[in-house]
Amino acid sequence: MKITQEIKDNTVIMTLNGELDASSSVLLDEELSDPEIMKYSKVLVNCQDLNYISSAGLGVFISHLQRFEDAQIKLIFFNMQDKVRNVFEILGLDLLMTIVSDYEEARTIANE
């Protein structure tokens, strides 16, 4: 798993590349736990190259939802592959998290 971040305006664009499993979920948790991320009002997660997500990876996102919500930080996923999106949908996480088709839609929703 490779995680990269790009800052644009008041937005963190986090790109996930590879497989998000139990071992790599620790890296994601460290990224999302970084106090610096709380300085931004939007975190957009590019899932285009995310090939797999385990329950541990999902758990990391779930564990940060309330903290982001409390800080009024919008967490938006985009470019999600069908097989990864199906995991979110089967577990009903698409009802808790914002998942959109592409960057432009993510940016539009983030700015509402």
Side-chain angles (χ1 to χ4, degrees), residues 19 50-53 80-90:
E19 297 185 352
L50 178 62
N51 301 319
Y52 168 82
I53 188 165
M80 196 174 280
Q81 294 182 30
D82 288 342
K83 62 185 174 184
V84 173
R85 186 176 183 127
N86 286 342
V87 173
F88 279 77
E89 290 174 352
I90 287 168

Side-chain angles (χ1 to χ4, degrees), residues 1-16:
M1 166 63 57
K2 181 179 178 186
I3 302 171
T4 57
Q5 286 188 20
E6 177 184 354
I7 308 298
K8 284 187 177 178
D9 302 318
N10 199 24
T11 304
V12 176
I13 302 167
M14 184 176 291
T15 300
L16 307 179

Side-chain angles (χ1 to χ4, degrees), residues 40-106:
Y40 302 95
S41 64
K42 299 161 244 187
V43 177
L44 309 183
V45 183
N46 183 353
C47 300
Q48 181 172 350
D49 295 318
L50 178 62
N51 301 319
Y52 168 82
I53 188 165
S54 71
S55 58
L58 292 166
V60 170
F61 287 119
I62 293 167
S63 71
H64 289 278
L65 275 179
Q66 190 64 52
R67 184 170 66 99
F68 282 5
E69 187 176 302
D70 290 347
Q72 298 182 336
I73 296 172
K74 293 182 181 180
L75 177 64
I76 302 171
F77 299 84
F78 68 99
N79 285 344
M80 196 174 280
Q81 294 182 30
D82 288 342
K83 62 185 174 184
V84 173
R85 186 176 183 127
N86 286 342
V87 173
F88 279 77
E89 290 174 352
I90 287 168
L91 297 172
L93 297 177
D94 59 319
L95 303 174
L96 294 175
M97 301 176 185
T98 305
I99 304 170
V100 298
S101 59
D102 58 31
Y103 174 72
E104 289 304 317
E105 188 176 358

Side-chain angles (χ1 to χ4, degrees), residues 20-55:
L20 184 52
D21 56 19
S23 61
S24 59
S25 66
V26 174
L27 298 171
L28 177 63
D29 189 51
E30 288 172 359
E31 294 281 337
L32 294 175
S33 297
D34 185 342
E36 287 293 309
I37 208 165
M38 302 305 283
K39 294 180 179 178
Y40 302 95
S41 64
K42 299 161 244 187
V43 177
L44 309 183
V45 183
N46 183 353
C47 300
Q48 181 172 350
D49 295 318
L50 178 62
N51 301 319
Y52 168 82
I53 188 165
S54 71
S55 58

